[in-house]
Amino acid sequence: MQRDQLADFLRRRREAIRPSEVGIADGGPRRRIPGLRREEVARLAGMSVDYVVRLEQGRSSQPSTQLVAALARALRLSDDERDHLFYLAGHQPPPTEGAARLARAGLVRMLDLLGDTPAMVISDLGEVLAQNQMSMLLIGDHSVFTGDRRFMIYRWFTEPASRVIHPPEETARHARQLVADLRAAAGRRPGDPVVEHLIARLHRDSRSFQEWWEGHEVGVRRADRKTMVHPHVGPILLDCETLVTPDLRQQLLVLTPADAEARQRLELVRVLGTQDFLPASIELGGYDDPRSLSPRRDG
């Protein structure tokens, strides 16, 4: 670990970022520095202010790879800058799969610019890599999920609570889309152990997934209209636009209200503030509901 170099790099990157680049008001003449404050970096990275101070003063313990990745996201580092940060912290940069699980800096900046429009960066396997605040208010903080549960498709087919976000009449269509997305990813990534493990676990844990998988439908969603059910304001009709990176490994999903009523309800979500929507403490599995999840056999 190169403490002095790490301290200098973190301090300079913090000072180089304008608050508006990360969705923070500039503060007018009261702000004495052009860049971010240490407490703002701490909040964005999800760590204590004291630890950020110690890092910048070169007197911290070695940060874990998780903390380094969080700092890279908070400071909006480019891929090269992120790798440099890992080296200074005494770690090897993430391998290909690990790097793919870090939201691209450009996509994270777009999240900041979208402000009160819910948006998130998602991997091609359905893992939420980054969210803006409005997305968290709408569907909860997905950073709490680990292991197989970090993949939306795994939670969908094994945990009933994950499906309350959509009305019953849309669950079959959503199940079909999730499986078609995974099929497309599996075709692009033959022999990938992460993909193979996820598919194997889904086959083991969900009979309904097996039935959908046998249909061999393929597709990458780029635009859609869906209803999301918020526990306090009810159903919200949203248009979903998806921007896909050239390698198809990451997607920027933007959710906009489809009509005036949806716009009002989304504004109410913002006003209500942070609510626990899908608590991480819910641990349910092995659930199959053929009425809502199994493929239709008509025709």
Side-chain angles (χ1 to χ4, degrees):
M1 175 178 172
Q2 305 174 57
R3 282 188 174 82
D4 291 342
Q5 292 297 316
L6 176 63
D8 182 70
F9 183 63
L10 288 174
R11 185 171 58 254
R12 290 182 183 277
R13 295 317 306 152
R14 174 176 62 81
E15 293 171 351
I17 299 178
R18 295 188 61 83
S20 58
E21 293 182 65
V22 296
I24 298 174
D26 284 333
R30 297 181 60 185
R31 180 176 284 269
R32 300 176 184 177
I33 60 173
L36 295 179
R37 300 185 178 99
R38 291 189 179 95
E39 56 267 28
E40 291 167 339
V41 172
R43 185 169 68 251
L44 291 168
M47 60 184 64
S48 70
V49 178
D50 178 67
Y51 191 66
V52 173
V53 171
R54 286 187 284 123
L55 280 169
E56 289 196 1
Q57 293 178 348
R59 55 185 183 88
S60 70
S61 59
Q62 183 182 29
S64 67
T65 55
Q66 292 82 1
L67 286 179
V68 175
L71 283 167
R73 288 193 298 269
L75 295 172
R76 306 308 190 246
L77 302 185
S78 67
D79 292 347
D80 290 336
E81 290 171 333
R82 181 200 63 217
D83 288 352
H84 183 63
L85 182 64
F86 270 88
Y87 285 126
L88 294 180
H91 299 294
Q92 287 294 314
T96 302
E97 176 57 30
R101 292 187 60 202
L102 298 176
R104 294 188 176 186
L107 296 182
V108 175
R109 292 191 185 99
M110 293 180 71
L111 288 182
D112 298 330
L113 294 173
L114 286 166
D116 288 339
T117 300
M120 64 196 83
V121 180
I122 305 174
S123 77
D124 60 342
L125 298 182
E127 178 184 5
V128 176
L129 305 177
Q131 296 175 264
N132 63 7
Q133 180 65 19
M134 194 61 198
S135 167
M136 293 183 187
L137 296 180
L138 179 64
I139 65 171
D141 182 359
H142 282 230
S143 67
V144 300
F145 298 115
T146 59
D148 292 326
R149 298 185 69 234
R150 70 181 192 267
F151 302 112
M152 288 187 285
I153 188 171
Y154 185 82
R155 298 196 307 276
W156 178 270
F157 280 101
T158 63
E159 301 178 12
S162 71
R163 297 192 289 272
V164 300
I165 193 173
H166 295 290
E169 62 271 18
E170 291 189 12
T171 54
R173 180 170 69 93
H174 194 63
R176 175 181 288 110
Q177 290 175 332
L178 286 170
V179 175
D181 280 346
L182 182 57
R183 268 287 188 186
R188 293 191 303 270
R189 298 165 61 175
D192 189 313
V194 177
V195 180
E196 292 180 349
H197 173 83
L198 175 59
I199 294 171
R201 294 275 289 182
L202 281 163
H203 272 93
R204 187 197 70 180
D205 296 340
S206 172
R207 175 175 54 83
S208 292
F209 173 80
Q210 296 174 28
E211 296 177 359
W212 282 109
W213 189 256
E214 289 171 1
H216 210 127
E217 295 187 39
V218 180
V220 178
R221 282 175 292 172
R222 291 181 173 81
D224 194 10
R225 173 170 287 190
K226 66 180 65 175
T227 301
M228 289 190 174
V229 183
H230 189 275
H232 300 296
V233 307
I236 306 174
L237 186 62
L238 299 166
D239 286 323
C240 311
E241 292 293 338
T242 304
L243 305 178
V244 184
T245 57
D247 63 0
L248 302 181
R249 296 292 291 269
Q250 294 189 8
Q251 309 167 4
L252 176 66
L253 177 64
V254 182
L255 306 172
T256 57
D259 54 31
E261 181 181 359
R263 190 176 303 109
Q264 292 175 352
R265 294 195 176 197
L266 199 59
E267 173 61 18
L268 183 56
V269 170
R270 187 189 66 79
V271 172
L272 286 173
T274 304
Q275 299 289 337
D276 288 333
F277 186 42
L278 295 177
S281 60
I282 294 178
E283 293 289 348
L284 300 169
Y287 177 86
D288 284 83
D289 181 356
R291 293 172 300 173
S292 61
L293 292 180
S294 296
R296 294 182 179 176
R297 299 300 185 186
D298 49 326

